[in-house]
Amino acid sequence: MSTMVDRPTQQLRTVRVRRQAAPRGRERPRLYAIDGIRLVAALMVAVHHYVGSWRVDQPGNAVWGRPVSDTMPTVFHFAAYGWIGVEIFFVISGFVICMSCWGRTPREFFVSRVIRLYPAYWFGIVFTTAVLVVAPGPAVWDRLKLRDILLNFTMLQSGSGVASVDGVYWTLWSELRFYLLFLVVVATGLTYRKVVIFCCVWGAAAMLAPVSEFHLLTLAANPEGAWFFIAGLALYLMHRFGQDLLLWGILGMAWLMGQRQLGLRIDDTEHVSGWRGSVVIYTVFLLVMVAIALGATDRVRWKWLVTAGSLTYPLYLIHYVAGTTVIGLLRDVMDPRVLVAGVIAGFLVLSWLVHRLVERPAARLLKRGLDTSFARLRSA
């Protein structure tokens, strides 16, 4: 196929022809570096929750019993910036979702998201609730009512005004809204032009939402997370079609809007880190992602990075409430640094087990069942 459409430059036409000349059915090379970044981001978040958050630095806090900056000042100084791992996740999600959905139908997109998100999430709810039930002594966290725990299994509790079993689940609400918006583009068939238009329209909505005082627009536009997802989409377009001024403009706008969101999060939630340091970390990450998108890491083929990437989602889901509960129980019998390292190591092992024994088999069963259901729906 030599006639190219929906391409920004003639140079990109040449690149695309070369790719299409590859044998049919051959998959695009896996971006191993992204798997590694995902695990780094998850570890950043975990360390932040254990020794870098405002909550654990308060006198008499339920996790450590004293300000963690008094016992681990150096670790606290660096861990205070670990929350940026969430924004890194959002950028990577925009990149990976666009990549994995290219050429897929809405049904395939829906099935892929269900089998990816729900099995480990369901395990996380059961595991975290069990830890809270069996943990002795003063509780670090209060358990939810059974009816609220059950609602959590839908992953829609944030839309119903119900608390999550684990506070980290708030990011899943942002992810779900992104998937719902992007599904509209997937349904029309992904192209360079359509994704660019989607980025511009969504960005405009995210800018207008805070001043519109229109709750439905704010809910859909997700101004707190939109620009991080948009950055990921622009980066993937660079990866697939090559760089151009328009994509650099979208990425630049995403950086400008993103740095403001970082500052707002520090003011409203984090309180322990500085805006300048946060922007530096985020900027470095974006530059690394640009390098990945433009092929600078294509030679990275370390197989262990695939395993590292597979640990990310389970680790993120189960580390916070259960991990801080364990720390609260053992804080007086172990060196704090050894305790934190041991808890993280334990949850990495558990995350690998969840991936192998829960995610994989459950994903196969769910995919088989959903494919059968959709086939029946079509035939009906």
Side-chain angles (χ1 to χ4, degrees):
M1 182 176 178
S2 58
T3 302
M4 305 306 298
V5 295
D6 195 25
R7 302 292 184 265
T9 65
Q10 178 64 39
Q11 179 184 4
L12 300 183
R13 293 192 183 94
T14 305
V15 174
R16 185 58 178 160
V17 168
R18 192 161 56 244
R19 284 176 177 170
Q20 288 188 336
R24 179 172 295 182
R26 182 179 178 181
E27 296 182 356
R28 292 172 57 79
R30 184 184 184 98
L31 297 174
Y32 290 83
I34 288 183
D35 289 314
I37 293 176
R38 289 170 58 204
L39 182 59
V40 170
L43 291 173
M44 287 172 60
V45 174
V47 173
H48 172 71
H49 284 150
Y50 295 159
V51 293
S53 71
W54 178 83
R55 185 174 191 266
V56 298
D57 199 42
Q58 298 306 299
N61 68 84
V63 180
W64 291 101
R66 57 193 182 279
V68 71
S69 60
D70 292 344
T71 56
M72 293 180 281
T74 302
V75 176
F76 173 80
H77 177 74
F78 289 100
Y81 290 90
W83 57 270
I84 303 173
V86 170
E87 281 65 30
I88 292 174
F89 280 139
F90 287 163
V91 175
I92 293 176
S93 180
F95 188 103
V96 172
I97 293 303
C98 193
M99 176 172 62
S100 61
C101 291
W102 211 275
R104 287 190 173 186
T105 65
R107 176 185 63 82
E108 292 171 331
F109 174 64
F110 174 80
V111 171
S112 70
R113 291 303 88 202
V114 169
I115 67 176
R116 177 70 181 96
L117 293 181
Y118 277 95
Y121 173 72
W122 288 333
F123 174 87
I125 293 174
V126 174
F127 172 75
T128 300
T129 302
V131 169
L132 294 179
V133 169
V134 303
V140 174
W141 301 95
D142 295 327
R143 294 200 309 272
L144 299 182
K145 296 178 180 178
L146 179 59
R147 65 191 182 195
D148 293 339
I149 294 173
L150 293 175
L151 183 62
N152 268 247
F153 281 90
T154 66
M155 205 182 287
L156 303 176
Q157 64 275 8
S158 295
S160 302
V162 172
S164 295
V165 169
D166 192 314
V168 299
Y169 297 168
W170 73 267
T171 61
L172 300 177
W173 182 235
S174 288
E175 293 275 354
L176 288 176
R177 285 179 284 169
F178 165 51
Y179 298 158
L180 184 61
L181 291 175
F182 201 61
L183 179 62
V184 177
V185 190
V186 173
T188 65
L190 293 181
T191 65
Y192 171 88
R193 181 182 296 111
K194 289 176 182 177
V195 177
V196 167
I197 293 174
F198 173 77
C199 290
C200 295
V201 172
W202 190 16
M207 284 189 290
L208 294 173
V211 297
S212 69
E213 298 183 356
F214 182 28
H215 181 69
L216 184 59
L217 176 61
T218 303
L219 182 65
N222 185 17
E224 296 84 8
W227 288 102
F228 302 108
F229 292 114
I230 290 172
L233 294 173
L235 286 163
Y236 177 69
L237 292 180
M238 285 187 181
H239 171 68
R240 187 177 183 92
F241 300 110
Q243 58 181 314
D244 61 30
L245 185 58
L246 180 58
L247 295 180
W248 278 112
I250 294 174
L251 187 61
M253 180 66 75
W255 180 88
L256 290 170
M257 298 300 292
Q259 60 83 25
R260 181 177 182 274
Q261 290 300 324
L262 295 178
L264 292 176
R265 184 169 171 185
I266 291 171
D267 295 340
D268 297 339
T269 306
E270 301 304 335
H271 308 302
V272 292
S273 48
W275 171 81
R276 289 181 177 84
S278 302
V279 172
V280 168
I281 294 172
Y282 180 62
T283 303
V284 169
F285 159 71
L286 282 185
L287 292 175
V288 171
M289 285 298 297
V290 168
I292 294 173
L294 298 182
T297 63
D298 285 353
R299 293 186 179 181
V300 176
R301 292 286 187 272
W302 304 328
K303 299 297 183 182
W304 63 267
L305 287 174
V306 178
T307 301
S310 68
L311 303 180
T312 302
Y313 185 51
L315 175 63
Y316 180 78
L317 291 175
I318 64 178
H319 81 275
Y320 184 31
V321 168
T324 50
T325 298
V326 172
I327 290 173
L329 294 173
L330 301 178
R331 68 193 185 195
D332 296 324
V333 298
M334 293 182 66
D335 178 85
R337 294 170 182 81
V338 175
L339 176 56
V340 171
V343 169
I344 291 176
F347 276 109
L348 284 171
V349 173
L350 179 58
S351 298
W352 182 81
L353 293 173
V354 171
H355 174 67
R356 294 298 297 267
L357 304 179
V358 177
E359 281 191 300
R360 282 186 174 181
R364 286 193 294 267
L365 290 174
L366 280 173
K367 187 177 189 307
R368 189 180 305 123
L370 288 172
D371 286 344
T372 301
S373 299
F374 278 111
R376 184 180 183 182
L377 186 64
R378 288 195 304 271
S379 64

